[in-house]
Amino acid sequence: MRIRLLAQVCAVILAIGLSIGYYYYSTAQEQEAQGLLSQAENYYLNAEYEKALTGSDEDFTVGFEQIISNYSGTDAANLASYYAAVCEYNLGNTQQALSYMNEFEVPDGILGVGPLSFKAVLHTEIGNHANAADIYVQAAEHDENESTTPYNYVEAAYAYDDAGNTEKAREYAQKVVDQYPNSNVLVDAEKLLGKLAAVNNG
């Protein structure tokens, strides 16, 4: 009985120890990854997308690819996935960019709107207009405001139109007209509604 109790106590102590150990390990991992990320960001900001992705042997730096592979689960690796997607897109590799965006965990609030819109752009580039439209709607409603919401609704309407879904196209263009009459994309929404009406009447 005492041996069993001792084993249980030891198991609890071990679990606590492992938890504390993992906390310090994960914190150290995050700090290390953030340091490496800042180096890759410098290449990114200078539009050196290849170096940003893979690093530089000459400068003894690593790129977003290595950060994603070696520091999985950290915030730095998550952000590296987004950076890598943008790099691949600028290098003309849209499908690879989309793969990285599928790994990216979109943050809450306004910071998540841009990445969602970018993901929709990638779907448009490869001809997935229906998927792009759905993601634009997500972006519009991810953080509702007077700027990004009507913009993404209009983009969703265009994408639905390109996908052949005129009903959805009309729905989201009309949302802009009805709910965001002061938006700078109001004219775009009205033009699309006019085009859809002409097609329907024709």
Side-chain angles (χ1 to χ4, degrees):
M1 188 72 167
R2 289 184 58 193
I3 294 175
R4 183 182 299 173
L5 180 61
L6 180 61
Q8 290 174 344
V9 171
C10 287
V12 171
I13 292 172
L14 179 60
I16 293 172
L18 288 173
S19 297
I20 293 172
Y22 177 74
Y23 170 76
Y24 284 111
Y25 170 76
S26 62
T27 301
Q29 284 280 94
E30 185 67 64
Q31 290 176 344
E32 188 174 331
Q34 290 288 351
L36 296 173
L37 184 68
S38 66
Q39 296 174 358
E41 282 176 331
N42 288 331
Y43 293 127
Y44 174 86
L45 293 173
N46 289 318
E48 297 180 81
Y49 299 119
E50 287 282 5
K51 284 186 176 181
L53 277 171
T54 62
S56 169
D57 292 337
E58 294 177 358
D59 299 332
F60 302 102
T61 58
V62 301
F64 299 130
E65 289 178 355
Q66 294 95 324
I67 295 168
I68 294 165
S69 298
N70 299 330
Y71 298 91
S72 176
T74 63
D75 291 338
N78 186 51
L79 185 54
S81 293
Y82 178 66
Y83 278 133
V86 178
C87 288
E88 292 286 13
Y89 178 69
N90 280 290
L91 291 168
N93 305 321
T94 306
Q95 192 64 60
Q96 187 58 45
L98 187 55
S99 295
Y100 280 122
M101 281 306 297
N102 287 335
E103 296 175 11
F104 178 65
E105 186 177 332
V106 177
D108 294 334
I110 190 66
L111 292 178
V113 175
L116 282 170
S117 296
F118 176 56
K119 189 174 182 180
V121 168
L122 296 178
H123 276 281
T124 299
E125 289 278 326
I126 61 175
N128 291 339
H129 299 293
N131 286 346
D134 290 343
I135 297 169
Y136 274 126
V137 172
Q138 290 178 34
E141 298 174 353
H142 193 73
D143 182 271
E144 295 188 19
N145 58 72
E146 297 291 323
S147 178
T148 63
T149 298
Y151 167 79
N152 282 295
Y153 274 152
V154 164
E155 291 300 321
Y158 279 123
Y160 278 126
D161 185 35
D162 289 336
N165 191 338
T166 56
E167 184 178 342
K168 283 283 191 179
R170 189 176 297 106
E171 175 187 345
Y172 285 100
Q174 193 66 52
K175 270 181 180 286
V176 174
V177 173
D178 294 343
Q179 299 177 17
Y180 300 94
N182 298 319
S183 169
N184 57 8
V185 295
L186 177 66
V187 173
D188 295 321
E190 290 174 334
K191 284 182 179 178
L192 181 56
L193 286 172
K195 173 198 164 187
L196 294 171
V199 170
N200 190 52
N201 292 333

